[in-house]
Amino acid sequence: MPQSAQPIGRRERNKRDKLERIIAAARELFDANGVDAVTTQQIADKADIGTGTLFLYAKSKSELLLLVQNSGYVAALEEGRAAAERTTGVVEAVLAIIRPVVECNRSHVENGRTYLRELVFGDPEEPHHREALMLTLKTEAAVAAVLCRDKRIGPDDAATLAQIISAIMFLGMATTINAHRTVDEIIAEIAHRVRVMLPGEPDVLPT
């Protein structure tokens, strides 16, 4: 019989509690004011911890943004994977994965665009940045798995196409010209480009 999970110790529970408070406080302040207008002191005060403790979890405000956005991205990716499982068309399933990610990123446009800049130009040795990169790879893997439903696409080509689709998605979210466009408009733009790459798929957007 499998062994039961070991109970979490008090110290670990305290660490998790502080982390959850930090994420909740930073998310609320970032959503209300934008990341540029928020200070680390405000986040620490709202989380009811000292700034020294805050910096044990994230060394800068940029890392705090990565921490917050990553937590939302995890949930968005799981939602997208589940939605893709319920669809049949390849393009429709790809867009089902992408839509929650775009929605997560666009919940606050400037914060989302700042997150993408940090993802591209930030320090890859920083743990929250590394997690963001891993989430990108997991998204590409999910897209590649869907592309392999098409028997004409082998695993290597699927991986390459998934990287291209990921780049299309990130460009759609990050480019200045799309700053005021809705999620539906961005998804429609992505869908058009994906259909060009994958001819023969029906012109259907997931609902």
Side-chain angles (χ1 to χ4, degrees), residues 1-204:
M1 295 179 62
Q3 293 183 345
S4 59
Q6 292 295 318
I8 299 173
R10 179 180 297 177
R11 183 177 180 183
E12 186 62 29
R13 288 199 305 272
N14 288 339
K15 286 174 62 177
R16 290 189 181 186
D17 176 66
K18 287 177 184 176
L19 178 60
E20 290 172 359
R21 281 157 44 200
I22 289 168
I23 292 173
R27 177 178 285 116
E28 183 176 339
L29 289 168
F30 289 159
D31 286 349
N33 306 291
V35 64
D36 290 340
V38 177
T39 67
T40 53
Q41 183 64 61
Q42 288 173 319
I43 295 170
D45 290 344
K46 192 164 191 64
D48 193 26
I49 59 173
T51 53
T53 300
L54 178 68
F55 291 137
L56 293 175
Y57 293 84
K59 293 182 292 186
S60 67
K61 187 168 66 172
S62 296
E63 292 181 15
L64 282 166
L65 177 64
L66 286 166
L67 175 62
V68 169
Q69 293 290 108
N70 286 347
S71 68
Y73 198 150
V74 168
L77 181 54
E78 287 306 309
E79 179 184 342
R81 282 172 168 163
E85 288 295 321
R86 299 192 296 269
T87 65
T88 54
V90 171
V91 170
E92 184 180 12
V94 168
L95 296 174
I97 292 170
I98 287 174
R99 176 177 281 276
V101 175
V102 175
E103 290 174 341
C104 174
N105 183 266
R106 305 290 289 186
S107 62
H108 189 291
V109 174
E110 287 308 312
N111 291 348
R113 294 177 70 208
T114 301
Y115 172 77
L116 296 176
R117 286 197 296 271
E118 288 296 325
L119 183 59
V120 173
F121 299 111
D123 179 6
E125 297 303 315
E126 190 279 316
H128 302 311
H129 184 275
R130 194 160 55 243
E131 182 186 2
L133 292 175
M134 288 302 300
L135 286 168
T136 300
L137 294 177
K138 289 179 180 179
T139 303
E140 291 174 4
V143 170
V146 165
L147 293 174
C148 285
R149 295 180 187 177
D150 188 331
K151 301 306 181 184
R152 299 170 297 178
I153 303 175
D156 290 344
D157 286 346
T160 300
L161 288 167
Q163 291 173 348
I164 296 170
I165 291 169
S166 178
I168 290 170
M169 177 182 69
F170 275 78
L171 183 63
M173 294 188 294
T175 185
T176 303
I177 197 171
N178 283 351
H180 300 293
R181 290 183 177 174
T182 65
V183 168
D184 284 343
E185 289 170 332
I186 292 173
I187 291 294
E189 178 183 279
I190 294 170
H192 172 71
R193 292 172 178 172
V194 172
R195 284 195 297 270
V196 169
M197 295 168 55
L198 304 172
E201 283 293 317
D203 187 9
V204 178

